[in-house]
Amino acid sequence: MNRYLKLVHMEIHRFRYILAALLGLVAVVQWGALVWSARKMEAALDEVEKFGRYTFYVNELSDRKISYAEAIYNAQQLYILSVLTVIGVLCAYLLFVWYRDWLGRSTFIYRLLMLPSARSSIYLAKLTAILVCIMVSLAFQALSLVIGGAIFEVVVPSDRQAYSYFVDIVDATRVLEYLMPMRLVDFALNYGLGIVAVLVIFTGILIERSYRWIGIAYAVGYVLFCGAAIVIPINAMGMYRSDSYLYTAEIVGIEFAIILLIAAVSIWLGFRLIRRKISV
């Protein structure tokens, strides 16, 4: 356990500057977009009050107020761009966290594999580091929305502020709906799929590392097979059709079972490969 925790610390320590830069980018882009949007909407209100002319930003202004959710909605492109940037870098890190050790100048993976501990701890440490980075990014996004609310209250005069519920703030952009779903089932399904995707990619990387050139085809085939095993049953059972034979809860239960099975197989195969196929 002690070596596992040290490996987790090492992985997070190596990624800390990139993660900090990403979170800083999120803060600058989202808070800047919020100020820009609030100023635009306030200027639109001024036009309505002075000239009685409606603008693109304001359609119904009977109460002459601006809400935090509306300000985010009008700047949602920048919010989406910042979030997708973080997701893209984290996806690239899924590959980097393994190939950095193989392709680095000193082939650090050899030193890791020769540690006097179970090789599965290397797999688990890299997985834990990825999950910690994801959870830190999610927590920072929630904190960014809270701080954004304080910024909104400073930028917009109090007599022009309309109250926004947290659910309205999240619903203001499509990407935040997926990141922070309000229902526990949706949260578990979204992040359960994300964790399984990480496991599948990890196992695909180990397949490629174990079998080299032919391993590329094996790895791609494994990833595609796992993806099809999740997507095809949803369509086959008609989850999004009103005439489906099964109830939505039953379909979700079956999907959870499939996801758990794929996760278990990916972990078992990943452990087996790193113990028996990959050598120094």
Side-chain angles (χ1 to χ4, degrees):
M1 179 59 72
N2 186 42
R3 289 194 177 91
Y4 160 73
L5 293 176
K6 287 182 178 180
L7 288 172
V8 173
H9 175 267
M10 180 195 69
E11 294 294 346
I12 296 175
H13 186 76
R14 296 164 84 184
F15 190 63
R16 68 192 187 283
Y17 292 127
I18 299 176
L19 182 61
L22 282 174
L23 300 184
L25 176 67
V26 169
V28 170
V29 172
Q30 293 189 0
W31 298 342
L34 174 65
V35 172
W36 170 81
S37 176
R39 292 294 189 192
K40 280 282 188 180
M41 295 182 71
E42 194 176 357
L45 281 174
D46 290 336
E47 283 198 42
V48 172
E49 292 176 352
K50 290 180 180 179
F51 308 108
R53 183 169 63 243
Y54 288 83
T55 69
F56 174 77
Y57 293 96
V58 183
N59 294 320
E60 296 180 1
L61 296 172
S62 57
D63 56 357
R64 301 293 195 270
K65 291 185 181 294
I66 303 170
S67 71
Y68 181 30
E70 289 173 334
I72 293 179
Y73 178 79
N74 287 332
Q76 62 177 304
Q77 291 86 355
L78 292 174
Y79 274 77
I80 293 172
L81 179 63
S82 64
V83 172
L84 291 182
T85 300
V86 175
I87 293 174
V89 173
L90 289 177
C91 289
Y93 185 61
L94 292 179
L95 304 176
F96 183 69
V97 74
W98 284 102
Y99 286 108
R100 170 189 54 193
D101 295 336
W102 260 288
L103 304 179
R105 184 176 300 176
S106 58
T107 54
F108 188 67
I109 189 66
Y110 295 160
R111 296 167 61 186
L112 290 178
L113 294 174
M114 293 176 67
L115 289 174
S117 59
R119 289 187 175 184
S120 58
S121 61
I122 301 173
Y123 183 103
L124 292 175
K126 293 181 183 296
L127 174 64
T128 304
I130 289 291
L131 297 182
V132 168
C133 290
I134 292 173
M135 291 299 107
V136 168
S137 301
L138 179 63
F140 185 83
Q141 178 60 75
L143 179 63
S144 175
L145 292 178
V146 174
I147 296 175
I151 294 173
F152 176 81
E153 292 179 358
V154 172
V155 172
V156 179
S158 58
D159 60 332
R160 284 186 168 178
Q161 294 178 17
Y163 183 78
S164 292
Y165 293 99
F166 187 75
V167 65
D168 297 325
I169 296 170
V170 172
D171 289 343
T173 65
R174 196 71 173 170
V175 69
L176 292 180
E177 286 186 82
Y178 286 107
L179 285 180
M180 292 181 286
M182 294 295 102
R183 295 195 309 167
L184 181 60
V185 173
D186 293 335
F187 186 91
L189 185 59
N190 290 353
Y191 285 90
L193 284 172
I195 293 171
V196 171
V198 173
L199 293 172
V200 169
I201 292 172
F202 271 22
T203 302
I205 292 171
L206 292 175
I207 291 173
E208 184 274 328
R209 288 285 90 188
S210 298
Y211 297 98
R212 300 308 168 119
W213 292 109
I214 191 63
I216 297 176
Y218 291 159
V220 172
Y222 179 77
V223 172
L224 292 177
F225 173 80
C226 291
I230 294 174
V231 174
I232 291 177
I234 293 178
N235 295 326
M237 291 183 290
M239 183 172 182
Y240 302 106
R241 295 200 310 265
S242 59
D243 60 345
S244 174
Y245 179 75
L246 298 174
Y247 292 109
T248 302
E250 294 174 333
I251 298 176
V252 170
I254 294 173
E255 275 299 305
F256 269 122
I258 294 173
I259 290 171
L260 289 176
L261 178 61
I262 292 175
V265 170
S266 296
I267 293 173
W268 172 80
L269 183 57
F271 282 3
R272 183 179 179 85
L273 290 172
I274 200 170
R275 283 199 307 262
R276 299 188 178 183
K277 290 297 296 182
I278 296 177
S279 63
V280 296

